[in-house]
Amino acid sequence: DCLPYDRVSPNGSVASRRMTVLSRLARARSSTDRPRILCVTVNGLVQRVAPRKWMASESFSAAPGNSVNMNDLVRWLETNGFLRSSTVRETGEYAQRGGILDLYPPGLPQPIRLDFFGDTLESIRSFDPETQRTLVQLRGLDLVPMSEVTLTTENMRRFRQNYLTLFGAQTRGDNLYEAVSEGRRHVGMEHWLPLFYGELDTIFDYVGDAPLLLDPLAEDAAGERLAQIKDYYDSRKSQFDLDPARATYKPLKPDALYMAPQEWREKLDATPLARFTPFPLAPPTKGLVIDCGAIPGRSFAPERADEAQNVFEAAVAHVRKLEERGKRVIVAGWSDGSRERLST
């Protein structure tokens, strides 16, 4: 959810949802493990993500009765982007009190409480963060990192080496370099993600040979996004070139963080691909064409333009007419807010 070459890190809840999805995809035994539909934006599709092999191995699993060293678990949480807090309220926070560890992991609707007796994990319970009351007893725990960046000794060493190779040895006063060297998380460090891992993967690497379905504007949107990325990079690069020694932002090349236009086209050519279009295609058309028989929906523009009419009442009347004809109606909204108004 960041602009290209931004100074801030992704929103914590957005990052945690992304890590949960990537972890599930990475640990699937095969593309036929079970049926899946993955919905992804064009921005997400052209962006490089943490390596699949790393995502498949970087998890922490436990169940009641297992032997779990709490200090080892806390170190894992710290390394993988979780934040210590006095009271757990937001995703990615944890709190330790004696033999109790409260944790709000990504992918769960409520925080959980882990009760330890020595090195034995006695119970895992979800609880209400407002009342602290137990909600459900859980039979297992499967944690994924909160952040794409893990500050392990190896990753920190690799970052320093790659950073110096690209930008030179002038690191005095470089807040990013100094923070990572000291093992501290730095705001916006995700924009230098390749330096921690060497090479990144894309969503295409996670889904294998799964077929891809694109809406009518997806390819145009990808072109605009890649052009926007280049503009942001050119702006950062021009500032860096003015005085590299004092530059506060040292940008990576676009193809390190995002697909290049040529790579995007090659991925599409190598993937089983279906394109949706609202327009009839005149023969001869390359590939198989399936006409789904879709027709334009009713427009409520007249009701919107007429102050004497209520567009919601018109929508309700239209739905009832469709139901009288035996139609099954699905109502969708552009946003959560519009969905709330429509449901009311």
Side-chain angles (χ1 to χ4, degrees):
D1 64 326
C2 298
L3 291 172
Y5 299 98
D6 209 340
R7 291 184 179 274
V8 300
S9 293
N11 175 271
S13 63
V14 173
S16 68
R17 294 202 303 271
R18 179 169 62 252
M19 297 299 286
T20 300
V21 172
L22 291 177
S23 179
R24 290 175 181 173
L25 290 173
R27 287 184 287 172
R29 290 185 292 275
S30 69
S31 59
T32 59
D33 186 18
R34 68 171 119 165
R36 289 181 177 84
I37 296 177
L38 176 66
C39 297
V40 59
T41 63
V42 166
N43 290 0
L45 200 55
V46 301
Q47 176 180 319
R48 300 192 190 279
V49 294
R52 186 177 187 273
K53 288 183 179 180
W54 174 79
M55 282 300 310
S57 62
E58 196 66 21
S59 62
F60 191 101
S61 301
N66 290 170
S67 177
V68 179
N69 185 292
M70 183 187 285
N71 292 330
D72 290 344
L73 176 54
V74 168
R75 279 193 291 271
W76 187 93
L77 295 173
E78 293 281 356
T79 301
N80 287 279
F82 288 80
L83 300 176
R84 183 185 290 270
S85 175
S86 58
T87 304
V88 171
R89 296 188 181 277
E90 302 290 337
T91 301
E93 294 181 342
Y94 78 93
Q96 182 180 4
R97 299 185 306 280
I100 295 177
L101 182 69
D102 288 349
L103 172 66
Y104 205 146
L108 292 184
Q110 294 94 19
I112 58 174
R113 178 162 291 153
L114 286 72
D115 286 326
F116 289 84
F117 183 78
D119 283 346
T120 300
L121 178 59
E122 289 198 319
S123 67
I124 306 173
R125 300 170 288 162
S126 65
F127 67 93
D128 186 324
E130 298 296 331
T131 65
Q132 299 291 304
R133 290 184 176 180
T134 296
L135 299 175
V136 179
Q137 292 281 350
L138 303 179
R139 289 185 284 181
L141 174 65
D142 194 10
L143 295 176
V144 300
M146 267 294 298
S147 169
E148 293 97 328
V149 178
T150 55
L151 295 177
T152 62
T153 302
E154 176 63 22
N155 283 354
M156 291 159 56
R157 181 198 63 77
R158 188 183 295 113
F159 170 86
R160 292 196 300 269
Q161 180 178 339
N162 291 332
Y163 197 85
L164 294 176
T165 300
L166 287 174
F167 304 119
Q170 297 292 336
T171 58
R172 176 172 293 183
D174 190 319
N175 294 331
L176 170 64
Y177 184 86
E178 292 177 354
V180 174
S181 298
E182 296 170 6
R184 292 184 288 108
R185 308 193 73 83
H186 187 271
V187 176
M189 63 194 299
E190 292 81 3
H191 298 280
W192 287 266
L193 189 62
L195 304 187
F196 292 90
Y197 298 105
E199 290 187 2
L200 303 182
D201 285 337
T202 67
I203 294 296
F204 290 95
D205 299 306
Y206 277 78
V207 300
D209 59 353
L212 178 67
L213 286 74
L214 296 180
D215 70 35
L217 301 177
E219 292 175 80
D220 291 341
E224 292 179 7
R225 176 64 171 179
L226 294 175
Q228 180 194 46
I229 290 166
K230 185 178 183 304
D231 288 343
Y232 277 98
Y233 170 74
D234 290 342
S235 175
R236 289 292 193 191
K237 185 67 164 58
S238 63
Q239 296 176 11
F240 173 77
D241 289 340
L242 290 175
D243 190 352
R246 296 185 180 182
T248 58
Y249 197 104
K250 301 174 181 178
L252 299 177
K253 292 183 178 180
D255 59 2
L257 293 163
Y258 306 91
M259 288 189 197
Q262 179 63 28
E263 183 183 2
W264 164 253
R265 289 190 291 271
E266 290 173 354
K267 291 289 188 183
L268 295 188
D269 290 340
T271 302
L273 177 63
R275 292 178 173 89
F276 289 110
T277 174
F279 307 108
L281 300 177
T285 302
K286 182 180 178 181
L288 175 66
V289 177
I290 300 175
D291 187 346
C292 295
I295 59 173
R298 182 196 187 286
S299 171
F300 294 92
E303 287 82 4
R304 287 182 179 278
D306 188 349
E307 294 182 359
Q309 298 192 57
N310 186 310
V311 68
F312 293 104
E313 292 178 358
V316 170
H318 179 58
V319 168
R320 286 176 175 160
K321 287 181 181 179
L322 293 173
E323 290 179 333
E324 290 172 0
R325 290 159 49 192
K327 298 286 187 180
R328 183 181 179 202
V329 180
I330 298 175
V331 180
W334 281 105
S335 64
D336 289 341
S338 64
R339 184 183 62 184
E340 296 280 344
R341 293 190 294 273
L342 286 168
S343 63
T344 303

